[in-house]
Amino acid sequence: MNSEKKEKPKVELILETAGEIFAEQGFRKATVRNICKRSGVNLAAINYYFGNKEKLYQAVLKYHRSIALQKYPSDFGINESDSSRKKLSSFIQAFILRLLEEGKPSLFGKLFAREFTEPTGAFDILIEESIKPTFNLLSSFIKEILGNNYSVKKVELCAMSIFGQCLYFRNAKPIVLRILCKDGYSNENIKEISEHIINFSLKGLLNY
Amino acid sequence: MNSEKKEKPKVELILETAGEIFAEQGFRKATVRNICKRSGVNLAAINYYFGNKEKLYQAVLKYHRSIALQKYPSDFGINESDSSRKKLSSFIQAFILRLLEEGKPSLFGKLFAREFTEPTGAFDILIEESIKPTFNLLSSFIKEILGNNYSVKKVELCAMSIFGQCLYFRNAKPIVLRILCKDGYSNENIKEISEHIINFSLKGLLNY
DNA sequence: ATATAAATTAAACAACCGATTAAAACATCA
DNA sequence: TGATGTTTTAATCGGTTGTTTAATTTATAT
């Protein structure tokens, strides 16, 4: 008889542990020895299952991306029949939640963010498959709100203004928390932040 | 007779080369061998002059911070007699220029940005000495614009909205450039970006 | 010029890394 | 059970890293 929990496949175990460590420390600082140790597998397991460290990293990215997509659908769960302003609000709210909420699905976002300062070969794929679609989705809402008063460049810049605001609260998290005198983002904090960005941005999109 | 240029002190030479390499590759990826090679000094020079790699990094941070402060004064060259809206515009314009302009003074900003994903012991000092003062400066302008309609929290959030927009164009530079189909930020691009952020944010600060 | 200190050099050290190997343990199925 | 393929293990291999050393060269001051 075995008193342990139902044992997970080692491949999956490594993918999850490696995801945590890569997110914490980045590709370079993370060592296969550390990953294997925390996973409770032998040092040679990574090379046996994945070939080498680089291929493990790519597998980790793909694995955690699929997990994130399960919780966070790529259409952001937005109701197509809503008004343009409502759609933008829903987008920002969902996007902020993705960025600031803790838990396993947020691991992909952290791995993602690391690609900016420490880009690997996976960077281009991430841009094409994750960023551009999201950017185009947001742009479509902005275009509707601006009406016939839009230019391509204006839409692009406004989309970046919104992305920039949202991403700041994750990328500059240590600073934000220190200024707000908090230890972490509470659900109420997240709500306040998304409401602020929605309010600020809807006014920013005004033409007068 | 010596046909070489006037020789720089080796300490200074190392500080400049190391600054470039740390900014390019980060603390961990940068090797003392590479730094010494590019500086044209012996491998042991870093430990001789600075003690070890970590102390060199801290010296690099201090050195390039002082260079940046020479070109970019901490009051952002803002005229105290200007209107609140004008002061905010000047601030954003100068801040964007700091972030996007190429050249030696921008090295400090790059080193700075790396501290977020790869924080060292210098992180806390940077927050207190560089970030907080700038944050308070921006907050003072925002407070003036919001008038008696402000709360501390609202000012904080608005300041973050503005910082977020500005920083996005540097932190997400690879993405922005790909979307704009550019190779780098031209002076005109920088002007367009700062004008957009000013316009977007002034409207965002409206109360109605 | 000579003694003393500072600077520079080449070589090596110890620790760590990713990757490999060959053997042992395990599972599967005839 | 016995044969076959898969998984796991401990040990080790090159290679790179930051750091140190001891000897040599250069500069400084008496």
Side-chain angles (χ1 to χ4, degrees):
Chain A
M1 209 215 285
N2 192 340
S3 65
E4 293 177 13
K5 306 173 188 174
K6 194 171 60 184
E7 54 191 34
K8 274 193 183 175
K10 294 206 171 181
V11 173
E12 214 167 311
L13 220 155
I14 294 173
L15 284 171
E16 294 193 0
T17 310
E20 295 171 12
I21 296 182
F22 280 137
E24 282 173 18
Q25 314 183 352
F27 177 78
R28 198 172 188 85
K29 192 172 183 179
T31 67
V32 301
R33 278 175 172 79
N34 193 4
I35 293 171
C36 289
K37 195 175 178 184
R38 250 210 246 174
S39 303
V41 302
N42 186 268
L43 172 59
I46 283 179
N47 288 44
Y48 177 75
Y49 285 114
F50 300 96
N52 57 35
K53 187 186 178 185
E54 178 97 28
K55 288 180 187 170
L56 165 66
Y57 178 76
Q58 291 169 2
V60 164
L61 230 49
K62 180 177 284 188
Y63 176 76
H64 286 278
R65 180 172 190 267
S66 73
I67 288 184
L69 278 176
Q70 283 174 23
K71 176 156 188 183
Y72 303 125
S74 59
D75 65 354
F76 284 69
I78 289 171
N79 196 334
E80 188 57 39
S81 63
D82 282 342
S83 71
S84 306
R85 293 169 64 92
K86 171 68 179 165
K87 278 190 245 180
L88 181 69
S89 300
S90 303
F91 176 88
I92 292 174
Q93 193 175 358
F95 193 64
I96 280 287
L97 202 63
R98 289 191 189 197
L99 292 175
L100 303 188
E101 202 179 33
E102 292 295 336
K104 210 197 297 179
S106 76
L107 272 186
F108 177 65
K110 289 178 185 169
L111 294 167
F112 202 120
R114 287 206 169 269
E115 284 287 327
F116 281 79
T117 46
E118 202 179 347
T120 70
F123 188 57
D124 287 349
I125 301 174
L126 289 178
I127 288 191
E128 294 300 325
E129 294 189 358
S130 290
I131 296 185
K132 279 196 174 179
T134 309
F135 191 89
N136 290 334
L137 186 67
L138 172 58
S139 294
S140 71
F141 304 148
I142 294 173
K143 211 176 293 184
E144 288 181 28
I145 292 176
L146 291 178
N148 52 13
N149 192 29
Y150 80 90
S151 69
V152 173
K153 181 165 283 182
K154 186 168 183 179
V155 171
E156 286 169 347
L157 287 172
C158 287
M160 291 173 189
S161 278
I162 292 174
F163 275 124
Q165 288 178 78
C166 295
L167 288 164
Y168 181 79
F169 287 89
R170 187 192 56 198
N171 296 339
K173 184 175 174 182
I175 291 175
V176 173
L177 290 178
R178 187 170 303 203
I179 287 173
L180 297 179
C181 300
K182 306 276 182 183
D183 297 326
Y185 292 127
S186 68
N187 286 340
E188 192 175 352
N189 288 143
I190 294 177
K191 193 181 163 197
E192 283 172 352
I193 289 170
S194 61
E195 280 177 0
H196 162 75
I197 295 178
I198 290 168
N199 185 31
F200 192 93
S201 301
L202 280 175
K203 286 190 283 183
L205 289 172
L206 283 177
N207 41 335
Y208 61 96
Chain B
M1 206 216 288
N2 193 340
S3 65
E4 294 177 13
K5 306 173 187 175
K6 194 172 62 185
E7 55 190 35
K8 275 192 180 175
K10 294 207 172 182
V11 173
E12 213 167 311
L13 220 154
I14 294 173
L15 284 171
E16 295 193 0
T17 309
E20 295 171 11
I21 295 182
F22 281 138
E24 283 172 18
Q25 313 183 353
F27 177 78
R28 196 168 189 87
K29 193 171 182 180
T31 67
V32 300
R33 277 174 174 80
N34 192 6
I35 293 171
C36 290
K37 195 175 179 184
R38 251 209 244 174
S39 303
V41 301
N42 186 268
L43 173 60
I46 284 180
N47 289 50
Y48 178 74
Y49 285 114
F50 300 96
N52 57 35
K53 186 185 177 186
E54 178 97 26
K55 288 179 186 170
L56 165 67
Y57 178 77
Q58 292 169 2
V60 164
L61 231 47
K62 182 177 284 188
Y63 176 77
H64 285 278
R65 180 172 190 269
S66 72
I67 288 184
L69 278 176
Q70 284 175 24
K71 175 156 189 183
Y72 302 124
S74 59
D75 65 354
F76 285 68
I78 288 170
N79 196 333
E80 188 56 40
S81 63
D82 281 342
S83 71
S84 305
R85 293 170 63 93
K86 170 69 180 164
K87 279 191 247 180
L88 181 67
S89 300
S90 302
F91 176 88
I92 292 175
Q93 194 175 0
F95 193 65
I96 280 287
L97 202 64
R98 288 191 189 196
L99 291 174
L100 304 188
E101 202 180 33
E102 293 295 335
K104 210 197 294 178
S106 76
L107 272 186
F108 177 65
K110 289 179 185 169
L111 294 167
F112 201 121
R114 288 206 169 270
E115 284 287 326
F116 282 79
T117 46
E118 205 179 346
T120 72
F123 188 57
D124 287 349
I125 301 173
L126 290 178
I127 287 192
E128 293 300 325
E129 294 188 357
S130 291
I131 295 185
K132 279 196 175 178
T134 309
F135 191 89
N136 290 333
L137 186 67
L138 173 59
S139 294
S140 71
F141 304 148
I142 292 173
K143 212 176 292 182
E144 288 181 29
I145 292 176
L146 291 178
N148 52 11
N149 191 28
Y150 80 91
S151 70
V152 173
K153 181 163 284 183
K154 186 169 186 180
V155 171
E156 288 170 346
L157 288 172
C158 287
M160 292 173 188
S161 277
I162 292 173
F163 274 125
Q165 289 179 77
C166 295
L167 288 163
Y168 181 78
F169 287 89
R170 188 192 56 197
N171 296 340
K173 186 175 173 183
I175 290 176
V176 174
L177 290 179
R178 186 170 302 205
I179 287 173
L180 297 179
C181 300
K182 305 275 183 186
D183 296 326
Y185 292 127
S186 68
N187 287 339
E188 191 174 354
N189 289 142
I190 294 178
K191 194 180 161 198
E192 282 172 353
I193 289 170
S194 60
E195 281 177 359
H196 161 76
I197 295 178
I198 291 168
N199 184 33
F200 192 94
S201 300
L202 281 175
K203 287 190 281 182
L205 290 172
L206 282 176
N207 41 336
Y208 62 96

